[in-house]
Amino acid sequence: MATTMRAWVVSDPRPLDETTPEQSPLTLVERPVPIPAPGEVLVRVHACGVCRTDLHLAEGDLAPRHNGVVPGHEVVGEVVRLGEGAGRFRTGDRVGIAWLRHTCGTCRWCRAGRENLCPQSRYTGWDKDGGYAELAVVPEAFAYRIPPSFADEQAAPLLCAGIIGYRSLLRAQLPAGGRLGLYGFGASAHLTAQLAIAQGAEVHVLTRGDEARELAQKLGAASVGGPYDPAPVPLDSAIIFAPAGELVPLALESLGPAGTLALAGIHLSDIPALDYQRHLFRERTVTSVTSNTRRDGEEFLVLAQRLGIQVTTTPVPFEHADQALRDLATGHVRGAAVLTLT
Ligand SMILES: [Zn+2]
Ligand SMILES: [Zn+2]
């Protein structure tokens, strides 16, 4: 095996929609191939999804945890080397590397089944190098087996967009057969919508972009409107996927009594002042969604296969990762962008 590999690093965080391609916050570099530590496996990357969190990192909305980090936490690849003591996978196995990559296992949150809130939690593509690279390492306890019905490119977005969407749906407390509003319709929402519809929900999509609206219609949304439109019916639950705080009062106003709004993103712009009567009274609830547990991931991957979730992807050659982020910043991606490595 070669001793070096190509990897994209966040070298100079800055807003992407205001810069020219020559001022990219990402740089393609040669790096030593990582060596799997005890309990880790080395994975040859076949595909890596492009997530909005990567964009927040590249644009500086999310402070880098160390300089020159390799982004990417929707990684599908093949185990090529086992670290000392690693035995859960064999070389040649197909695995997924996702956002959560370490928790302490002993704090009150870990013991309560809420390891997503562990203060010692560590993340792929933020604390440690991720999958915008030819190879990546992961602790085997935090890797996933990929259901065989999904090709690499389709499986990649399941690992964050899918899992976070699933947790958002749980946090949104959607009653059986209830009415769900989705604000924003990118990688995560287009998977969450299918999950909800397959389970009997009525889904209303509120989003910008003709392509996103078309996709929502095609996937069976009961209605499709603009992000600032009122929902056509009182909602039981809503999820905001767009990183736009100004949507919070709008979504709360569209909730019926006892409705719940879940905020799916890791970053949200400022939320305007709320009016108690208009936005919160009648026992409406607003909650954030923080990462996910491994159990969320396992459950979602089983459901995705069983319910036949269709993953819409825009493949991008690995060499054009910076352009993929730029397209995401300007809202020009249909479904999920996925870097493909040959
Ligand atoms: Zn913990
Ligand atoms: Zn993500």
Side-chain angles (χ1 to χ4, degrees):
M1 191 189 295
T3 55
T4 64
M5 63 173 191
R6 291 178 304 159
W8 286 95
V9 298
V10 179
S11 46
D12 183 18
R14 55 169 85 191
L16 266 154
D17 52 354
E18 295 162 18
T19 55
T20 64
E22 296 74 49
Q23 302 170 302
S24 175
L26 295 190
T27 315
L28 186 59
V29 299
E30 282 285 319
R31 278 272 183 96
V33 169
I35 296 164
E40 291 187 342
V41 293
L42 177 66
V43 175
R44 181 176 301 286
V45 180
H46 291 168
C48 182
V50 176
C51 174
R52 188 164 289 280
T53 299
D54 308 336
L55 183 61
H56 292 319
L57 200 64
E59 296 201 310
D61 291 326
L62 200 61
R65 292 264 176 97
H66 68 84
N67 278 340
V69 71
V70 178
H73 54 270
E74 297 180 315
V75 187
V76 176
E78 177 191 341
V79 174
V80 290
R81 199 170 150 189
L82 306 177
E84 196 189 316
R88 187 177 165 210
F89 301 103
R90 296 188 197 170
T91 57
D93 283 358
R94 188 165 75 138
V95 296
I97 307 176
W99 176 235
L100 185 72
R101 68 182 290 126
H102 172 80
T103 55
C104 79
T106 56
C107 72
R108 60 179 285 213
W109 304 109
C110 282
R111 282 183 286 124
R114 303 183 76 170
E115 65 176 350
N116 59 311
L117 300 177
C118 174
Q120 305 290 324
S121 59
R122 297 286 178 270
Y123 301 95
T124 305
W126 192 22
D127 294 293
K128 298 282 182 177
D129 290 338
Y132 286 28
E134 291 173 312
L135 294 130
V137 290
V138 63
E140 65 171 2
F142 286 81
Y144 293 92
R145 286 184 197 283
I146 304 292
S149 57
F150 295 99
D152 294 338
E153 185 187 315
Q154 272 66 44
L158 299 177
L159 291 164
C160 177
I163 295 173
I164 296 292
Y166 175 64
R167 186 167 184 91
S168 303
L169 195 55
L170 297 178
R171 297 292 301 158
Q173 302 278 337
L174 181 67
R179 293 160 162 177
L180 173 69
L182 300 179
Y183 289 81
F185 203 73
S188 197
H190 98 282
L191 300 172
T192 311
Q194 294 177 65
L195 204 57
I197 291 168
Q199 295 178 321
E202 178 183 310
V203 173
H204 299 272
V205 173
L206 301 110
T207 192
R208 63 176 181 169
D210 293 339
E211 276 195 287
R213 290 185 203 184
E214 228 168 84
L215 182 59
Q217 220 122 40
K218 198 181 122 204
L219 293 174
S223 80
V224 182
Y228 302 103
D229 295 341
V233 292
L235 303 170
D236 297 303
S237 304
I239 304 171
I240 295 182
F241 289 101
E246 73 264 23
L247 294 175
V248 171
L250 296 169
L252 284 170
E253 215 169 339
S254 285
L255 288 180
T260 302
L261 168 64
L263 308 173
I266 192 169
H267 166 80
L268 192 69
S269 60
D270 288 347
I271 300 172
L274 299 179
D275 178 277
Y276 186 60
Q277 289 294 333
R278 271 172 68 192
H279 302 126
L280 291 170
F281 198 61
R282 293 192 299 283
E283 305 202 339
R284 283 168 287 180
T285 302
V286 57
T287 179
S288 63
V289 179
T290 301
S291 178
N292 63 277
T293 64
R294 279 172 281 179
R295 185 177 165 180
D296 296 328
E298 302 289 352
E299 285 176 0
F300 170 71
L301 290 173
V302 169
L303 276 175
Q305 178 172 40
R306 191 179 297 160
L307 300 175
I309 300 295
Q310 301 290 312
V311 190
T312 301
T313 56
T314 300
V316 180
F318 173 71
E319 292 73 19
H320 298 156
D322 51 346
Q323 186 56 44
L325 281 182
R326 202 173 292 277
D327 290 343
L328 187 60
T330 51
H332 287 109
V333 177
R334 186 162 186 267
V338 179
L339 305 181
T340 55
L341 293 90
T342 43

